Amino acid sequence: MVFMLSKSTLKVFPFCTVTHSYHRLRWASFIACALQVRQTLPTCRSRSVSTFRTAVSALGRDFLVQQRKASIFKCYFVKADFCGISKHSTSEWIRVQRFILMEVTVNAKGSKGSQIRKVMATSNGKRAAEEIEEKFVKVGEVETSLLTLGHFRDASSSEDAKRVLFLIIPGNPGVPTYYEDFMQELYSHCEGQIPVWTVGQAGHVQPPDQSLSFSDVFSTRDDIYSLKAQIEHKVTFIRENIPPDVSLILIGHSIGCYMILNMLEHLPSSQVLRCFMLFPTVERMATSPQGQAMTPVLRYLRWFLVAAALFVVMIPMSIRRPLIEWHFRRADCPPCLYDGVVRTLTPWTANFASYLAKVEMNEVTELQEHLIKKHLKKLSFYYGTRDHWAPVQYFYDLKTTFPDVDARLCSLNLKHAFVLETPEGKAMAKIVWLWAQSHHHTVLSHTGSVDQETWAFDG
């Protein structure tokens, strides 16, 4: 995608045109901002990636200040010869639209001096009533990526219903972007009445204006980026950013389940309604089928992963992203997947994610039975039938040790990384919503539609 600027016009490739009269005024405002950007460019015509990024950043900043509630690049038709995409192909157009949207970064200051990036949230091809917002909040010493969708009820409301929050603790890599589609689907099930947040793992998303040093690779700090530090990081985040009167429904994925299990020791019991552990890696990680393959790589070749990511970021984005899309061409992937992969394939994320994975192999060994026994009434485990990180045998072992545990075995054949495919992410969101209703009917009946349907469970 390249900007070509002249004195009187701005052409954006892929070529987009607006045909709806309602948006002509917004488009005119966009053109005006673009022409302002042109004055800062060294040449009238530039195909430089760095110049392009500078132009997009400035353009996004100026345009969004004027049109905060407007859709960015709100275009209804795409030239049909762009990569063979037809203007009648809704799914392909959504992908192109989202790609353009994700290129725009808003350099505006948010709460606690954090940087905010607006992400358009789409559902079934339509713009959602709410927007997913990304901000970087400082937790301890780390600028941490946070995705938020929806708002809390007014604390002074006369309603008797509790204020509730779905808080997602991601797996590894802990890049919240992967969970955007899952968040949107879960938010739609509660009819927009319960906010949904995803907090990233410390160090797994590169903050603005920060770079990776050699010392970060060869001497990563245990007190900030280790597994124990990640648990403390989430507890600190909750204490500093979530009002104490808000009831939490924690949703852990993969190693996020291990973190939640240990977080419960430091959070008020009255604040946590339920913990949903999706495809939990809470024991014997190194001896699992996937762990046996990855442990030698993480222990002895971790530096190679960082070097490979360094090579990837040298590839221009105009080539890198199409390669990612080509790799996932056979899968029905949500648009957020491509943005998540772009963020993951950087030296910054590769370093801290691989470091955490190496620590996981060493420390996640025996099942923490004392913690499960202590918090059994708040825990719900969901195991997959083809999960190579948490095999089916782990499910049966858990049921043997704790016969009364709320543990279910997936009957939909979902994968461990369910967020990578649209149908699986939507199915998982529905499962969590139905499951939450079954445990907290009186609380959730005030916040969304009550669905008595039960499905996708065995055992």
Side-chain angles (χ1 to χ4, degrees):
M1 178 173 174
V2 179
F3 275 112
M4 298 179 63
L5 302 172
S6 64
K7 293 183 178 180
S8 58
T9 62
L10 172 78
K11 296 181 179 179
V12 182
F13 293 87
F15 186 86
C16 301
T17 60
V18 175
T19 60
H20 199 293
S21 60
Y22 178 76
H23 292 276
R24 286 177 182 171
L25 182 59
R26 292 177 180 174
W27 185 251
S29 176
F30 167 77
I31 293 293
C33 293
L35 293 178
Q36 292 177 9
V37 174
R38 179 208 171 273
Q39 298 176 2
T40 67
L41 296 180
T43 59
C44 293
R45 181 172 300 193
S46 174
R47 295 177 182 271
S48 166
V49 173
S50 60
T51 303
F52 165 70
R53 288 176 177 169
T54 301
V56 171
S57 178
L59 174 60
R61 180 175 61 252
D62 294 340
F63 182 64
L64 289 182
V65 166
Q66 299 178 28
Q67 303 286 340
R68 288 189 182 276
K69 295 184 180 180
S71 300
I72 297 92
F73 290 90
K74 185 65 177 181
C75 309
Y76 281 79
F77 296 94
V78 180
K79 191 173 182 180
D81 60 0
F82 168 62
C83 296
I85 295 176
S86 168
K87 65 183 180 181
H88 300 295
S89 176
T90 303
S91 60
E92 292 294 337
W93 162 233
I94 293 173
R95 179 184 298 181
V96 174
Q97 183 188 37
R98 187 161 186 119
F99 169 59
I100 298 173
L101 293 171
M102 293 299 292
E103 290 294 332
V104 179
T105 300
V106 186
N107 297 314
K109 292 293 182 179
S111 62
K112 298 188 178 181
S114 60
Q115 185 172 4
I116 295 178
R117 179 174 62 91
K118 289 287 187 178
V119 182
M120 299 297 292
T122 57
S123 178
N124 298 326
K126 298 180 180 180
R127 185 184 183 280
E130 296 280 353
E131 292 179 350
I132 294 179
E133 180 182 284
E134 182 187 47
K135 62 180 72 174
F136 284 87
V137 295
K138 189 154 189 178
V139 182
E141 300 182 36
V142 183
E143 293 286 345
T144 305
S145 174
L146 172 66
L147 291 186
T148 63
L149 177 59
H151 305 280
F152 292 118
R153 279 195 178 92
D154 187 351
S156 62
S157 173
S158 59
E159 298 182 17
D160 295 331
K162 290 184 178 180
R163 296 203 296 169
V164 182
L165 169 68
F166 284 110
L167 179 60
I168 301 170
I169 309 298
N172 186 7
V175 179
T177 307
Y178 288 114
Y179 296 83
E180 286 181 17
D181 199 60
F182 175 74
M183 290 172 64
Q184 186 66 34
E185 188 68 16
L186 185 59
Y187 190 67
S188 67
H189 281 296
C190 64
E191 298 181 352
Q193 298 301 306
I194 302 178
V196 183
W197 291 11
T198 302
V199 57
Q201 303 293 0
H204 286 209
V205 178
Q206 184 171 358
D209 305 322
Q210 291 192 23
S211 58
L212 188 71
S213 65
F214 283 105
S215 62
D216 291 326
V217 178
F218 294 106
S219 59
T220 304
R221 292 177 57 182
D222 286 345
D223 61 326
I224 298 180
Y225 303 110
S226 68
L227 183 56
K228 180 180 178 181
Q230 293 285 1
I231 295 168
E232 296 172 352
H233 171 267
K234 306 304 178 296
V235 174
T236 302
F237 167 80
I238 291 174
R239 289 173 177 170
E240 295 180 351
N241 296 275
I242 299 175
D245 65 312
V246 172
S247 298
L248 295 174
I249 297 179
L250 300 176
I251 302 174
H253 177 216
S254 192
I255 194 61
C257 304
Y258 181 91
M259 294 180 186
I260 288 177
L261 192 58
N262 287 268
M263 288 164 55
L264 291 176
E265 288 291 277
H266 307 282
L267 296 174
S269 178
S270 58
Q271 188 177 14
V272 180
L273 285 179
R274 199 77 193 170
C275 304
F276 293 101
M277 321 287 254
L278 310 180
F279 304 92
T281 53
V282 294
E283 60 175 314
R284 295 176 282 177
M285 284 193 67
T287 58
S288 67
Q290 193 68 26
Q292 292 180 39
M294 291 300 299
T295 298
V297 176
L298 294 169
R299 286 179 178 172
Y300 307 112
L301 297 175
R302 190 174 75 84
W303 60 268
F304 177 78
L305 300 177
V306 181
L310 179 62
F311 171 77
V312 170
V313 296
M314 297 174 64
I315 303 174
M317 184 63 72
S318 58
I319 299 176
R320 195 189 325 164
R321 189 181 178 94
L323 285 176
I324 294 171
E325 294 186 1
W326 178 84
H327 177 76
F328 291 100
R329 67 193 183 282
R330 299 185 185 279
D332 183 5
C333 301
C336 62
L337 168 67
Y338 309 114
D339 307 305
V341 173
V342 167
R343 287 187 157 197
T344 302
L345 296 179
T346 63
W348 180 286
T349 301
N351 176 63
F352 293 114
S354 62
Y355 173 76
L356 177 60
K358 183 182 75 170
V359 175
E360 291 169 15
M361 299 302 123
N362 295 331
E363 296 186 5
V364 182
T365 54
E366 298 301 319
L367 183 66
Q368 296 172 303
E369 295 182 6
H370 65 289
L371 293 180
I372 295 178
K373 182 178 180 179
K374 182 177 180 179
H375 305 287
L376 188 64
K377 294 183 178 180
K378 292 183 180 293
L379 300 175
S380 296
F381 293 88
Y382 191 81
Y383 284 83
T385 54
R386 53 171 179 165
D387 188 347
H388 298 298
W389 283 109
V392 176
Q393 186 59 45
Y394 290 12
F395 164 77
Y396 291 117
D397 292 344
L398 180 67
K399 292 286 285 186
T400 300
T401 307
F402 299 98
D404 297 329
V405 68
D406 183 17
R408 312 295 178 91
L409 189 62
C410 176
S411 62
L412 298 179
N413 206 29
L414 302 182
K415 293 189 288 292
H416 180 89
F418 63 89
V419 293
L420 300 187
E421 295 190 19
T422 301
E424 296 198 0
K426 291 182 181 297
M428 195 72 255
K430 185 173 184 179
I431 290 170
V432 170
W433 174 246
L434 295 174
W435 210 349
Q437 283 184 325
S438 69
H439 286 289
H440 301 284
H441 173 81
T442 56
V443 175
L444 301 183
S445 62
H446 290 281
T447 56
S449 60
V450 179
D451 193 340
Q452 301 297 332
E453 178 184 4
T454 57
W455 60 294
F457 294 139
D458 284 339

